[in-house]
Amino acid sequence: RRDRDADLDREIADHLDLEREVQEQGGLSPEEARRATRRVFGNPVSVREEVREAWGWQWLERLWLDARLAVRLWARTPGFSAIAIATIGLGIGASTALVAQVTAVFWTPLPVFAPKELRFVSWTSPRPSFVMGPNVMAGPRVDGADSYGTVSYAAFLAMRDQTSSFADVACWSDLGEARPVILGELGFGTVQFVSGNYFRALGIRAALGRTLELHDEPPGGWSPVAVISHRFWQRALGGAADVTGRALRLNGRPFAVIGVLPESFFGLDAAVSPEIFIPNGATEMAAATAKPLQNHGLWNACRVVVRMRPERSDEEGRLDLERALAAVIATAPPATPYDTPSVRLTPAEYGSATLREGTSTPLLVLIVVVSGLLLAACANIAGLLLARGSARARELATRLALGASRGRVIRQLITESLVLSLAGGLVGMLLA
């Protein structure tokens, strides 16, 4: 920029010299030629400003100068500036923290591969007599109606093995008896029982070691292996690099740790955030019911998640699942009449709605409170700036008298407010 300014000054000087020579050749004295040159050429300062405007960055230079002036003005009144910045920081900090929580709960997709392809499976039935007692857990509300969110293990196997609309069908156990589990000398922990293809269906790879696979859950059996969360690895095992191969005692039974999950993965339900994942076949070690997976009437054994094939629609998948459920119920029908389940597929992109449903009202209350706090902070700052503006009336009048336009004064005041807001925003980020 300095080089271009120097070039511009030399070019203006050359024009003035040429014009003066022309005037002198016309018979004028040097002094008269100099005055005539000024009249013909115009004000060099104005010419210089017009050329700079044509270069296109004059607005940036003016903004920089306004910002420097604003910083100097705020530095002259440190007490006022500190109060204003602290007030803005408090309002922005609280708002930012709350927005971060709302975003994480409501608008952040699951940290899995292609979360938009995932669907949760739920069902409804006017006469679910194929369910033994009240052994079924609530599912999401679909089209204003309640649904059930769990199935029997036999029903899961039928949906996994007898359907063609899905790239994968996986399950995890959410039995109330399955949490907590005694972890030997480590105390208690949250354990989740998952199918061997659970991590494959979600597209989750281990950060260390490997995840569970289908061969860890062979037909009629299961392998005593476990995958742990990153948080549990750090909290209970000190982030040991040789964690794979170690044994954890769960309810008195040894399980070999085979892998550590990525730090971002918390399961499909953020309200649970399990610490240890073991094969679904091990459910019997924590359940109150004998042989829970073999019991066709125990419809709280599995929650099911499916990954859609790109070429198949949700309606095709729903009908596919209904046929599989009708077939598995027919293999061991109840003694009383029943209605075949009607399946619902709901998007699983944001995980289970348990946490959203449980926190929606408190978060709404917090949003109202924090919004009021932010508005109060803005009103207080507005009052302070108005009082400060009244004290600066003489300064602003002097600026106008010296030739500054009203737009120029307004731009300077806005720049001062922006500098104050930026400082308050930085403080708010630290508070958040």
Side-chain angles (χ1 to χ4, degrees):
R1 177 187 174 280
R2 286 193 294 269
D3 291 342
R4 295 197 67 176
D5 281 343
D7 291 341
L8 176 59
D9 290 339
R10 285 193 296 270
E11 188 171 354
I12 291 176
D14 290 342
H15 279 288
L16 291 174
D17 291 341
L18 289 174
E19 183 62 29
R20 188 176 63 255
E21 290 177 3
V22 170
Q23 296 294 337
E24 289 178 354
Q25 290 173 2
L28 296 179
S29 66
E31 184 63 28
E32 292 174 340
R34 186 177 297 107
R35 288 197 295 268
T37 298
R38 294 287 185 178
R39 289 194 300 270
V40 172
F41 185 82
N43 188 344
V45 176
S46 298
V47 173
R48 186 180 292 106
E49 291 300 318
E50 291 175 3
V51 174
R52 284 177 175 172
E53 290 286 352
W55 288 349
W57 63 57
Q58 188 68 9
W59 65 271
L60 187 60
E61 181 181 359
R62 288 176 178 173
L63 178 61
W64 169 245
L65 294 175
D66 288 346
R68 289 177 58 187
L69 177 60
V71 171
R72 290 199 301 269
L73 291 175
W74 289 123
R76 290 178 185 174
T77 54
F80 177 89
S81 302
I83 293 174
I85 291 173
T87 304
I88 296 174
L90 180 62
I92 293 180
S95 303
T96 303
L98 181 59
V99 168
Q101 294 300 313
V102 172
T103 300
V105 173
F106 291 93
W107 302 320
T108 301
L110 289 172
V112 301
F113 173 75
K116 292 185 178 181
E117 297 178 358
L118 297 178
R119 304 287 188 275
F120 287 129
V121 176
S122 59
W123 57 273
T124 59
S125 174
R127 293 184 297 174
S129 57
F130 47 84
V131 177
M132 184 181 66
N135 294 310
V136 66
M137 294 184 179
R141 288 185 63 83
V142 181
D143 298 329
D146 293 329
S147 66
Y148 301 106
T150 55
V151 300
S152 67
Y153 190 66
F156 159 67
L157 293 179
M159 289 189 286
R160 186 189 69 181
D161 301 334
Q162 300 176 21
T163 58
S164 59
S165 299
F166 312 105
D168 231 327
V169 180
C171 80
W172 77 99
S173 179
D174 207 19
L175 289 174
E177 300 92 342
R179 302 191 310 270
V181 168
I182 300 175
L183 306 181
E185 69 280 0
L186 299 177
F188 293 90
T190 303
V191 177
Q192 197 164 83
F193 304 87
V194 301
S195 59
N197 64 331
Y198 176 80
F199 295 105
R200 185 187 71 185
L202 299 181
I204 296 295
R205 294 184 178 181
L208 188 66
R210 68 174 180 88
T211 60
L212 295 176
E213 298 175 359
L214 283 174
H215 63 75
D216 294 315
E217 193 181 26
W222 51 276
S223 301
V225 293
V227 177
I228 61 176
S229 69
H230 190 278
R231 182 181 61 181
F232 182 79
W233 177 46
Q234 296 291 327
R235 176 181 65 83
L237 302 176
D242 60 346
V243 64
T244 55
R246 286 193 184 185
L248 296 175
R249 298 192 68 83
L250 310 181
N251 283 4
R253 304 187 64 167
F255 284 76
V257 177
I258 60 173
V260 178
L261 294 172
E263 185 176 3
S264 60
F265 183 70
F266 52 81
L268 293 176
D269 188 349
V272 178
S273 296
E275 298 174 315
I276 301 174
F277 298 80
I278 60 178
N280 205 59
T283 301
E284 58 187 6
M285 63 173 280
T289 306
K291 298 185 179 300
L293 301 188
Q294 287 73 34
N295 190 334
H296 284 222
L298 192 65
W299 276 60
N300 67 343
C302 297
R303 291 186 181 271
V304 180
V305 60
V306 301
R307 181 176 291 279
M308 299 296 301
R309 294 185 185 276
E311 68 274 11
R312 307 301 283 275
S313 66
D314 282 19
E315 180 64 16
E316 291 175 313
R318 189 185 68 79
L319 296 175
D320 212 2
L321 291 173
E322 287 183 353
R323 287 191 292 268
L325 288 180
V328 73
I329 295 174
T331 60
T336 57
Y338 68 91
D339 291 320
T340 302
S342 176
V343 172
R344 301 287 186 270
L345 290 177
T346 55
E349 179 181 1
Y350 300 101
S352 175
T354 306
L355 186 63
R356 293 193 291 276
E357 293 172 353
T359 59
S360 58
T361 300
L363 284 176
L364 177 61
V365 173
L366 283 174
I367 288 173
V368 173
V369 172
V370 171
S371 299
L373 176 63
L374 182 60
L375 288 175
C378 292
N380 288 334
I381 295 301
L384 290 174
L385 291 178
L386 286 173
R388 188 169 183 268
S390 299
R392 296 176 62 188
R394 180 174 297 179
E395 172 200 338
L396 299 180
T398 303
R399 288 174 178 268
L400 293 172
L402 290 175
S405 65
R406 293 183 180 274
R408 180 70 180 83
V409 173
I410 292 174
R411 188 178 68 207
Q412 174 60 41
L413 295 175
I414 291 176
T415 304
E416 293 176 16
S417 297
L418 289 176
V419 170
L420 185 68
S421 300
L422 178 61
L426 293 175
V427 172
M429 290 174 62
L430 294 176
L431 292 176

